[in-house]
Amino acid sequence: MLKTSLLFLFILFSFTSPSNAVSSCNGPCQTLSDCKGQLICIRGKCNDDPDVGTHICRSGGGGSPSPPSGGCQQSGTLTCRSKTYPTYRCSPPETSSTKAQLTLNDFSKGGEGGAPSECDEQYHAKTERVVALSTGWYKDGSRCGKMIRITANNGRSVTAKVVDECDSMHGCDAEHAGQPPCRNNIVDGSDAVWEALGLNKDLGVVNVRWSMA
């Protein structure tokens, strides 16, 4: 009887607990890394990211490129460590207060940022308020050295200097420190940016808004 009960609990756990495996549309998840490509974890299931505007799940979960809002169409895919990521040359359209996802990056030498910042070929200390922007927002480097204002949902805001591109087209190589391509709606901020906004760096990703300063 005891063995039967244990077997039943094992089977129940196996079918009800989200795994760490990469999940596709409506698959179980606990964190952002559990979901495939551009999908995010919403209420325990992988789904389209409303801030990016993809329609992968609503179109049946196929692998073909789908256009986010504003006509920013997925340009292709890149496979990294058995996981497939969408690639983008564009980013969601900019407004006076553009929705984005703030991620955390170490721009210092030896940090996860990999090579020196693209704008100035320099490394930057964690105490500097610097950011990288997704390929579309980076605009081929035309925003290098310019200041943007980032506002968190807690009402706090900070200005930071654009020093690098968060590459939405390439990744998984030494130049990108083995990291996959960025999503197309990323503001990749230094420790100092997160601290100025009063955000918990352990979160790794938070929703923010940004504009030119």
Side-chain angles (χ1 to χ4, degrees):
M1 182 66 181
L2 178 59
K3 289 183 178 179
T4 303
S5 298
L6 289 174
L7 178 61
F8 173 79
L9 288 173
F10 173 77
I11 294 172
L12 182 64
F13 178 82
S14 298
F15 280 92
T16 58
S17 297
S19 67
N20 290 326
V22 174
S23 292
S24 55
C25 292
N26 298 314
C29 61
Q30 292 179 317
T31 67
L32 288 175
S33 60
D34 293 336
C35 296
K36 184 177 181 179
Q38 202 85 340
L39 303 178
I40 63 169
C41 190
I42 302 176
R43 294 188 292 276
K45 289 187 177 183
C46 294
N47 213 324
D48 291 302
D49 186 343
D51 289 334
V52 177
T54 52
H55 302 284
I56 299 168
C57 295
R58 276 177 282 174
S59 63
S64 59
S66 56
S69 59
C72 179
Q73 188 172 5
Q74 180 180 328
S75 59
T77 59
L78 189 150
T79 301
C80 178
R81 296 186 293 275
S82 301
K83 183 176 179 180
T84 300
Y85 298 87
T87 56
Y88 286 92
R89 298 183 186 278
C90 56
S91 291
E94 297 167 37
T95 66
S96 58
S97 183
T98 307
K99 289 182 179 180
Q101 290 186 321
L102 178 68
T103 53
L104 179 65
N105 189 31
D106 183 354
F107 294 85
S108 63
K109 190 171 184 178
E112 69 266 19
S117 297
E118 193 171 297
C119 290
D120 55 12
E121 293 297 320
Q122 301 290 322
Y123 291 104
H124 295 271
K126 292 183 178 182
T127 54
E128 294 184 61
R129 295 178 183 176
V130 293
V131 298
L133 296 178
S134 290
T135 296
W137 290 337
Y138 183 67
K139 294 184 179 295
D140 293 321
S142 64
R143 287 201 161 127
C144 280
K146 294 185 178 180
M147 303 296 291
I148 67 169
R149 178 170 296 279
I150 307 162
T151 304
N153 289 338
N154 60 13
R156 298 179 66 168
S157 66
V158 64
T159 56
K161 183 167 71 172
V162 178
V163 297
D164 207 352
E165 174 186 12
C166 195
D167 200 332
S168 304
M169 285 294 298
H170 311 95
C172 306
D173 53 17
E175 181 181 350
H176 299 86
Q179 299 294 320
C182 279
R183 293 171 179 245
N184 66 346
N185 64 337
I186 297 298
V187 174
D188 201 21
S190 62
D191 279 52
V193 169
W194 280 70
E195 290 166 4
L197 292 172
L199 298 173
N200 180 2
K201 289 180 285 187
D202 291 336
L203 294 174
V205 183
V206 295
N207 292 326
V208 295
R209 291 180 178 269
W210 74 275
S211 62
M212 299 305 299

